[in-house]
Amino acid sequence: MEKFHYINGDWVGQDLEKLEVNNPATGDVVGTVPIGGKSETKKAIDAAHKAFPEWSSLTAYERSSYLKKLHSLMLEHEDELAELMTIEMGKPLHESKGEVAYSASFVEWFAEEGKRVYGRTIPPHKEKRMMEVRKQPVGVVGAITPWNFPAAMIARKLAPALAAGCTFVVKPPSATPLTAVRLVELCEEAGIPKGVVNLVTGKSSEVAGELMSNPHVRKITFTGSTEVGKKLMEQSAETVKNISLELGGHAPIIVLDDADIDKAVDGVIASKFRNGGQTCICGNRVYVQEKIYDDFISKFVNKAKELQVGNGLEEGTDIGPMIDKDGYDKVEKHVQNAISQGAECVLGGEGYEENGCYFYRPTILKDVAPGMLIMNEETFGPVAPIQKVSTDDEAIKFANQTPFGLAAYVFSESVRRGNHVVNGLDYGIVGWNDGVPSAAQAPFGGMKQSGIGREGGHEGIEAYLETKYVSIGL
Ligand SMILES: NC(=O)C1=CN([C@@H]2O[C@H](COP(=O)(O)OP(=O)(O)OC[C@H]3O[C@@H](n4cnc5c(N)ncnc54)[C@H](O)[C@@H]3O)[C@@H](O)[C@H]2O)C=CC1
Ligand SMILES: O=C(O)[C@H](O)CS(=O)(=O)O
């Protein structure tokens, strides 16, 4: 499967050196994309800049019709997109199908939200005819996306950007570019005019470097690690780029002693092991109150031990391969560090390598301590460390002891106690008796070092709009 860049409505880059894309479950080469750099990225930005006046002059209803066509095409090609995602990222096929539907829901949501970009008039306080506020599209958007949700992280940016009237240049991750290419092929099939959507693959530092420095790019939207996000913030300063950041997380899960334990176990499993634990909002730390500690762990182990590890294309697989050896090594490091400092491994605790591919079994550690690596660094793998806590306020204190502030979870059947915990949590997303809170109609994003801005909801389109205040004299 040889794929190319999409610049100004043409598929180009045939002459460039190729980057191979590997299936993380088998090691097979599943496709190639060009290794682009500064000059290809500049061409893509120029195309988006040239296309912006016409695209932004369309009505929201006209832009919506293109997005609705794209939405239909994504659902029509759900199986194909899902299989592509699984062979390049590894997640189980049923999760890939879920991601296609999730991605399409952002396109559908913003096809409508674009029609609700309202301005307002302000009652003048002195001799003026009118004071008003208008919203206008920011301009050319540069998007840089991660490998763990190859379709959703692009759709969550492309849909609001186009709905707002912006034009778009995306640099997908080198690990999962084929899904990105297929999405852009569907944009072309939907009739989205040339130059509105552009795609360049290749050296992050060069492609992203041009996006960050080119003055025609008015907005950067990045999803990825906090480490890279900080570098992009520094680079954005030169041209004062408007920047949105969806960064790393280290989600705490609090299970109070009034929780429905079976519901809590299901919720923790859903949060922890989705995408093999490779999501920014996966539970990374589990705090369980002492009265139910042993009962919760026993039920959690009994459920988690049923999870099957293997090739995501095979029926019955619940956890696919790690994306690469680095990802595997980080998980192994966290597990061994915890055990060496006194944690007890009650499930799993090891992985395996097959044909240069890396798999890690669902792992549960109990009696972990706050100072362990796993309780402070994002693990990004299928490992649940459990710490015993006493009071509700102690749980909140431990939960907030992190530079991250993306997602947190609490399981409690008490409105009073659950609400107290929710109010005390310093996180942009809180799941209360819900392990998978994300939805296109809700604002997704973090506080502290988990990012700036929100994606989804009405907030998601605001990120692609500028506010213009107009004062009209008599
Ligand atoms: N808050 C959120 O919504 C999400 C956050 N993430 C976070 O992303 C990380 C996992 O995804 P990865 O792709 O491994 O993240 P990453 O930060 O390594 O890469 C993300 C993107 O940035 C590019 N990139 C890497 N180094 C760069 C540099 N120096 N300059 C410019 N671009 C660069 C990569 O090619 C990729 O396209 C985790 O930390 C996870 O928590 C992942 C998904 C969602
Ligand atoms: O990449 C991620 O972690 C996603 O943002 C999580 S979700 O949106 O699929 O919940």
Side-chain angles (χ1 to χ4, degrees), residues 37 62-63 68 74 137 145 151 219 223 226 231 242-243 257 283 340 346 355 378 390 396 402-404 409 427-428:
E62 289 166 325
R63 293 193 292 265
K68 286 182 175 177
M74 289 173 75
T145 58
K219 168 83 186 181
T223 297
T226 292
K231 290 178 187 170
N242 176 331
I243 189 164
D257 55 29
S340 69
V346 291
N355 309 317
E378 185 178 45
S390 53
I396 294 169
T402 169
F404 295 105
Y409 304 86
Y427 290 84

Side-chain angles (χ1 to χ4, degrees), residues 145 147 156 171 204 208 222-225 246-247 280 378 444:
T145 58
W147 52 262
R156 206 160 77 175
K171 187 217 81 69
S204 299
F222 170 74
T223 297
S225 63
E246 292 285 354
L247 304 180
C280 59
E378 185 178 45
F444 184 106

